[in-house]
């Protein structure tokens, strides 16, 4: 039960962190408009870049800032010469890539979209696949990423 709680909290924290990184790096707010049921500033940002718009359509994604879509946007921003705050965007991309296997594990559990439970060993196995030995290594990456946001 405590491992499910950990994965659930990690997902929420990760989602909020990548949103914060996007807003901090680009200056674009990610506020939800209840009338239009979307994120107007994010939609405008994506629609101003035809490549991003096409990619979202190809992948079948709604134009929303999520843990799934923002790392893709980070990657696109890192490829553009005019992008500011590439260091922070790079940290966001690295963070998202690092925790993605744990988020995918969470999605298979009862707190995500599946019916599985989760053990400590499953979490540690996913960390080891990412080159980490234990949760301390994950916390170090979290700390580095949060520190990068604080410096902006």
């Amino acid at each position: 039960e405590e491992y499910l709680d950990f994965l659930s909290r990690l997902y929420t924290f990760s989602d909020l962190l990548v949103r914060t990184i996007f807003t901090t790096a680009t200056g674009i707010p990610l506020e939800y408009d209840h009338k239009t049921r979307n994120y107007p500033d994010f939609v405008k940002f994506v629609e101003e870049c035809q490549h991003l718009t096409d990619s979202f359509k190809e992948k079948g994604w709604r134009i929303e800032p999520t843990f799934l879509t923002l790392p893709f946007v980070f990657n696109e921003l890192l490829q553009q010469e005019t992008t500011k705050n590439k260091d922070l965007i790079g940290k966001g991309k690295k963070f998202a890539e690092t925790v993605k296997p744990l988020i995918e594990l969470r999605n298979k559990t009862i707190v995500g979209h599946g019916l599985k439970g989760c053990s400590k060993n499953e979490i540690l196995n996913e960390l080891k696949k990412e080159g980490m030995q234990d949760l301390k290594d994950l916390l170090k990456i979290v700390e580095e990423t949060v520190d990068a946001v604080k410096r902006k």
Side-chain angles (χ1 to χ4, degrees), residues 19 23 28-43 62-66:
R19 287 172 184 249
T23 297
I28 298 169
L30 297 177
E31 295 177 16
Y32 185 75
D33 183 327
H34 292 279
K35 287 183 181 178
T36 60
R37 294 185 176 183
N38 69 18
Y39 298 81
D41 296 313
F42 186 72
V43 169
R62 292 183 57 183
I63 300 178
E64 293 182 340
T66 67

Side-chain angles (χ1 to χ4, degrees), residues 92-120:
K93 181 178 180 247
K94 179 183 176 192
F95 169 78
E97 289 170 349
T98 300
V99 299
K100 185 178 180 181
L102 292 174
I103 302 305
E104 290 172 348
L105 179 61
R106 172 249 178 216
N107 290 345
K108 295 174 187 172
T109 69
I110 196 85
V111 296
H113 310 287
L115 298 173
K116 281 185 54 168
C118 180
S119 70
K120 180 179 180 179

